[in-house]
CSV table of all heavy atoms in Angstrom, one decimal:
chain,number,residue,atom,x,y,z
A,1,LYS,N,0.8,-1.2,0.0
A,1,LYS,CA,0.0,0.0,0.0
A,1,LYS,C,0.9,1.3,0.0
A,1,LYS,O,1.8,1.3,0.7
A,1,LYS,CB,-0.9,0.0,1.2
A,1,LYS,CG,-1.9,1.2,1.3
A,1,LYS,CD,-2.8,1.2,2.5
A,1,LYS,CE,-3.8,0.0,2.5
A,1,LYS,NZ,-4.7,0.1,3.6
A,2,ILE,N,0.5,2.2,-0.9
A,2,ILE,CA,1.2,3.5,-0.9
A,2,ILE,C,0.0,4.5,-0.9
A,2,ILE,O,-0.7,4.6,-1.9
A,2,ILE,CB,2.0,3.7,-2.2
A,2,ILE,CG1,2.9,2.6,-2.4
A,2,ILE,CG2,2.8,5.0,-2.2
A,2,ILE,CD1,3.7,2.5,-3.8
A,3,ALA,N,0.0,5.4,0.1
A,3,ALA,CA,-1.0,6.5,0.2
A,3,ALA,C,-2.4,5.9,0.0
A,3,ALA,O,-3.2,6.6,-0.7
A,3,ALA,CB,-0.6,7.5,-0.8
A,4,GLY,N,-2.7,4.8,0.5
A,4,GLY,CA,-4.0,4.2,0.4
A,4,GLY,C,-4.2,3.4,-0.8
A,4,GLY,O,-5.3,2.9,-1.1
A,5,ILE,N,-3.3,3.4,-1.8
A,5,ILE,CA,-3.4,2.7,-3.1
A,5,ILE,C,-2.7,1.4,-3.1
A,5,ILE,O,-1.5,1.3,-2.6
A,5,ILE,CB,-2.8,3.7,-4.2
A,5,ILE,CG1,-3.7,4.9,-4.3
A,5,ILE,CG2,-2.9,2.9,-5.5
A,5,ILE,CD1,-3.0,6.0,-5.0
A,6,LEU,N,-3.4,0.4,-3.4
A,6,LEU,CA,-2.8,-1.0,-3.4
A,6,LEU,C,-2.1,-1.3,-4.7
A,6,LEU,O,-2.6,-1.1,-5.8
A,6,LEU,CB,-3.9,-2.1,-3.2
A,6,LEU,CG,-4.6,-1.9,-1.8
A,6,LEU,CD1,-5.6,-2.9,-1.7
A,6,LEU,CD2,-3.6,-2.1,-0.6
A,7,LEU,N,-0.9,-2.0,-4.6
A,7,LEU,CA,-0.1,-2.5,-5.8
A,7,LEU,C,0.2,-3.9,-5.5
A,7,LEU,O,0.3,-4.3,-4.4
A,7,LEU,CB,1.1,-1.7,-6.0
A,7,LEU,CG,1.0,-0.2,-6.5
A,7,LEU,CD1,2.4,0.3,-6.6
A,7,LEU,CD2,0.3,-0.1,-7.7
A,8,GLN,N,0.3,-4.7,-6.6
A,8,GLN,CA,0.7,-6.1,-6.4
A,8,GLN,C,2.1,-6.3,-7.2
A,8,GLN,O,2.3,-5.7,-8.2
A,8,GLN,CB,-0.3,-7.0,-7.0
A,8,GLN,CG,-1.6,-7.0,-6.1
A,8,GLN,CD,-2.6,-8.1,-6.6
A,8,GLN,OE1,-2.8,-8.4,-7.8
A,8,GLN,NE2,-3.3,-8.6,-5.5
A,9,ILE,N,2.9,-7.1,-6.5
A,9,ILE,CA,4.3,-7.3,-7.0
A,9,ILE,C,4.5,-8.8,-7.0
A,9,ILE,O,4.3,-9.5,-6.0
A,9,ILE,CB,5.3,-6.6,-6.0
A,9,ILE,CG1,5.0,-5.1,-5.9
A,9,ILE,CG2,6.7,-6.8,-6.5
A,9,ILE,CD1,5.6,-4.5,-4.7
A,10,ASP,N,5.0,-9.3,-8.1
A,10,ASP,CA,5.4,-10.7,-8.2
A,10,ASP,C,6.9,-10.9,-8.2
A,10,ASP,O,7.6,-10.3,-8.9
A,10,ASP,CB,4.9,-11.3,-9.6
A,10,ASP,CG,3.3,-11.4,-9.6
A,10,ASP,OD1,2.7,-11.3,-8.5
A,10,ASP,OD2,2.8,-11.7,-10.7
A,11,VAL,N,7.3,-11.8,-7.3
A,11,VAL,CA,8.8,-12.2,-7.3
A,11,VAL,C,8.8,-13.7,-7.3
A,11,VAL,O,7.9,-14.4,-6.9
A,11,VAL,CB,9.5,-11.6,-6.0
A,11,VAL,CG1,9.4,-10.1,-6.0
A,11,VAL,CG2,8.8,-12.2,-4.7
A,12,LEU,N,9.9,-14.2,-7.8
A,12,LEU,CA,10.1,-15.7,-7.7
A,12,LEU,C,10.2,-16.2,-6.2
A,12,LEU,O,10.8,-15.5,-5.4
A,12,LEU,CB,11.5,-16.1,-8.4
A,12,LEU,CG,11.4,-16.0,-9.9
A,12,LEU,CD1,12.8,-16.3,-10.5
A,12,LEU,CD2,10.4,-17.0,-10.6
A,13,PHE,N,9.5,-17.2,-6.0
A,13,PHE,CA,9.3,-17.8,-4.7
A,13,PHE,C,10.6,-18.6,-4.3
A,13,PHE,O,10.8,-19.8,-4.7
A,13,PHE,CB,8.1,-18.8,-4.6
A,13,PHE,CG,7.6,-19.0,-3.3
A,13,PHE,CD1,6.4,-19.8,-3.1
A,13,PHE,CD2,8.3,-18.6,-2.1
A,13,PHE,CE1,6.0,-20.1,-1.9
A,13,PHE,CE2,7.8,-18.8,-0.9
A,13,PHE,CZ,6.7,-19.7,-0.7
A,14,ARG,N,11.5,-17.9,-3.6
A,14,ARG,CA,12.8,-18.6,-3.2
A,14,ARG,C,12.8,-18.7,-1.7
A,14,ARG,O,11.8,-18.4,-1.0
A,14,ARG,CB,14.0,-17.7,-3.7
A,14,ARG,CG,14.1,-17.6,-5.2
A,14,ARG,CD,15.4,-16.9,-5.5
A,14,ARG,NE,15.5,-16.8,-7.0
A,14,ARG,CZ,15.6,-15.6,-7.6
A,14,ARG,NH1,15.6,-14.5,-6.9
A,14,ARG,NH2,15.7,-15.5,-8.9
A,15,SER,N,13.9,-19.2,-1.2
A,15,SER,CA,13.8,-19.6,0.3
A,15,SER,C,14.4,-18.4,1.2
A,15,SER,O,14.8,-18.6,2.3
A,15,SER,CB,14.7,-20.8,0.5
A,15,SER,OG,16.0,-20.6,0.0
A,16,PHE,N,14.5,-17.2,0.5
A,16,PHE,CA,15.0,-16.1,1.3
A,16,PHE,C,13.9,-15.6,2.3
A,16,PHE,O,12.8,-16.0,2.2
A,16,PHE,CB,15.5,-14.9,0.4
A,16,PHE,CG,14.4,-14.5,-0.6
A,16,PHE,CD1,13.2,-13.8,-0.2
A,16,PHE,CD2,14.6,-14.7,-2.0
A,16,PHE,CE1,12.3,-13.5,-1.1
A,16,PHE,CE2,13.6,-14.3,-2.9
A,16,PHE,CZ,12.5,-13.6,-2.4
A,17,LYS,N,14.4,-14.6,3.2
A,17,LYS,CA,13.4,-14.2,4.2
A,17,LYS,C,12.4,-13.4,3.5
A,17,LYS,O,12.6,-12.5,2.6
A,17,LYS,CB,14.2,-13.2,5.1
A,17,LYS,CG,13.4,-12.7,6.3
A,17,LYS,CD,14.2,-11.8,7.2
A,17,LYS,CE,13.4,-11.3,8.4
A,17,LYS,NZ,12.2,-10.5,8.0
A,18,LEU,N,11.1,-13.6,3.9
A,18,LEU,CA,9.9,-12.9,3.4
A,18,LEU,C,9.8,-11.5,3.9
A,18,LEU,O,10.2,-11.2,5.0
A,18,LEU,CB,8.7,-13.7,3.6
A,18,LEU,CG,8.6,-15.2,3.1
A,18,LEU,CD1,7.4,-15.9,3.5
A,18,LEU,CD2,8.8,-15.2,1.6
A,19,PHE,N,9.2,-10.7,3.1
A,19,PHE,CA,8.7,-9.3,3.6
A,19,PHE,C,7.4,-9.6,4.4
A,19,PHE,O,6.5,-10.2,3.8
A,19,PHE,CB,8.5,-8.4,2.5
A,19,PHE,CG,9.8,-8.0,1.7
A,19,PHE,CD1,9.9,-8.6,0.4
A,19,PHE,CD2,10.9,-7.4,2.3
A,19,PHE,CE1,11.0,-8.4,-0.4
A,19,PHE,CE2,12.0,-7.2,1.5
A,19,PHE,CZ,12.1,-7.7,0.3
A,20,GLU,N,7.4,-9.1,5.6
A,20,GLU,CA,6.2,-9.4,6.5
A,20,GLU,C,5.1,-8.3,6.4
A,20,GLU,O,5.5,-7.1,6.2
A,20,GLU,CB,6.7,-9.6,7.9
A,20,GLU,CG,7.7,-10.7,8.1
A,20,GLU,CD,7.0,-12.1,7.9
A,20,GLU,OE1,5.8,-12.2,7.9
A,20,GLU,OE2,7.8,-13.0,7.7
A,21,PRO,N,3.8,-8.7,6.6
A,21,PRO,CA,2.8,-7.6,6.7
A,21,PRO,C,3.2,-6.5,7.7
A,21,PRO,O,3.6,-6.8,8.8
A,21,PRO,CB,1.6,-8.4,7.1
A,21,PRO,CG,1.8,-9.7,6.6
A,21,PRO,CD,3.3,-10.0,6.7
A,22,GLY,N,3.0,-5.3,7.3
A,22,GLY,CA,3.3,-4.1,8.2
A,22,GLY,C,4.8,-3.6,7.9
A,22,GLY,O,5.1,-2.5,8.5
A,23,GLN,N,5.6,-4.4,7.2
A,23,GLN,CA,7.0,-3.9,7.0
A,23,GLN,C,7.1,-2.8,5.9
A,23,GLN,O,6.4,-2.9,5.0
A,23,GLN,CB,7.8,-5.1,6.5
A,23,GLN,CG,9.3,-4.9,6.3
A,23,GLN,CD,10.1,-6.1,5.9
A,23,GLN,OE1,9.6,-7.2,6.0
A,23,GLN,NE2,11.3,-5.9,5.5
A,24,THR,N,7.9,-1.9,6.1
A,24,THR,CA,8.2,-0.8,5.1
A,24,THR,C,9.2,-1.4,4.1
A,24,THR,O,10.1,-1.9,4.4
A,24,THR,CB,8.8,0.4,5.8
A,24,THR,OG1,7.8,1.0,6.7
A,24,THR,CG2,9.1,1.5,4.8
A,25,VAL,N,8.8,-1.2,2.8
A,25,VAL,CA,9.7,-1.7,1.7
A,25,VAL,C,9.8,-0.6,0.7
A,25,VAL,O,9.0,0.4,0.7
A,25,VAL,CB,9.0,-3.0,1.0
A,25,VAL,CG1,9.1,-4.1,2.0
A,25,VAL,CG2,7.6,-2.7,0.6
A,26,TYR,N,10.8,-0.9,-0.2
A,26,TYR,CA,11.1,0.2,-1.2
A,26,TYR,C,10.9,-0.4,-2.6
A,26,TYR,O,11.4,-1.5,-2.9
A,26,TYR,CB,12.5,0.7,-1.0
A,26,TYR,CG,12.6,1.4,0.4
A,26,TYR,CD1,13.0,0.6,1.5
A,26,TYR,CD2,12.3,2.7,0.6
A,26,TYR,CE1,13.2,1.1,2.7
A,26,TYR,CE2,12.4,3.2,1.8
A,26,TYR,CZ,12.8,2.5,2.9
A,26,TYR,OH,12.9,3.1,4.1
A,27,LEU,N,10.1,0.3,-3.5
A,27,LEU,CA,9.8,-0.2,-4.8
A,27,LEU,C,10.6,0.6,-5.8
A,27,LEU,O,10.7,1.8,-5.7
A,27,LEU,CB,8.4,-0.1,-5.1
A,27,LEU,CG,7.4,-0.6,-4.0
A,27,LEU,CD1,5.9,-0.4,-4.5
A,27,LEU,CD2,7.7,-2.1,-3.6
A,28,THR,N,11.1,-0.2,-6.8
A,28,THR,CA,11.7,0.5,-8.0
A,28,THR,C,11.0,0.1,-9.3
A,28,THR,O,10.8,-1.1,-9.6
A,28,THR,CB,13.2,0.0,-8.1
A,28,THR,OG1,13.9,0.4,-6.9
A,28,THR,CG2,13.8,0.7,-9.3
A,29,ILE,N,10.4,1.1,-9.9
A,29,ILE,CA,9.6,0.9,-11.1
A,29,ILE,C,10.3,1.8,-12.3
A,29,ILE,O,10.3,3.0,-12.2
A,29,ILE,CB,8.2,1.3,-10.9
A,29,ILE,CG1,7.5,0.6,-9.7
A,29,ILE,CG2,7.4,1.0,-12.2
A,29,ILE,CD1,6.2,1.1,-9.4
A,30,GLU,N,10.7,1.1,-13.3
A,30,GLU,CA,11.3,1.7,-14.4
A,30,GLU,C,10.2,2.4,-15.2
A,30,GLU,O,9.1,1.9,-15.3
A,30,GLU,CB,12.1,0.8,-15.3
A,30,GLU,CG,13.3,0.2,-14.7
A,30,GLU,CD,14.1,-0.5,-15.8
A,30,GLU,OE1,14.0,-0.2,-16.9
A,30,GLU,OE2,14.9,-1.5,-15.3
A,31,LYS,N,10.4,3.7,-15.6
A,31,LYS,CA,9.4,4.5,-16.3
A,31,LYS,C,8.9,3.8,-17.5
A,31,LYS,O,7.7,3.9,-17.9
A,31,LYS,CB,10.0,5.9,-16.6
A,31,LYS,CG,10.2,6.7,-15.3
A,31,LYS,CD,10.6,8.1,-15.6
A,31,LYS,CE,10.8,8.9,-14.3
A,31,LYS,NZ,11.2,10.3,-14.5
């Protein structure tokens, strides 16, 4: 969620640590 707007992001399901609900994350989107 960004400013009340929902986005969905797909990543390959690997065994690394997951991003948890409530966690702040940073998105990079090429123009």
Side-chain angles (χ1 to χ4, degrees):
K1 184 182 287 188
I2 308 173
I5 298 166
L6 298 178
L7 294 179
Q8 293 189 323
I9 303 161
D10 288 350
V11 298
L12 285 176
F13 196 177
R14 299 188 179 118
S15 58
F16 54 68
K17 185 180 183 299
L18 302 176
F19 300 109
E20 298 295 341
Q23 181 178 350
T24 296
V25 291
Y26 300 89
L27 313 181
T28 302
I29 305 175
E30 292 189 27
K31 293 183 179 182

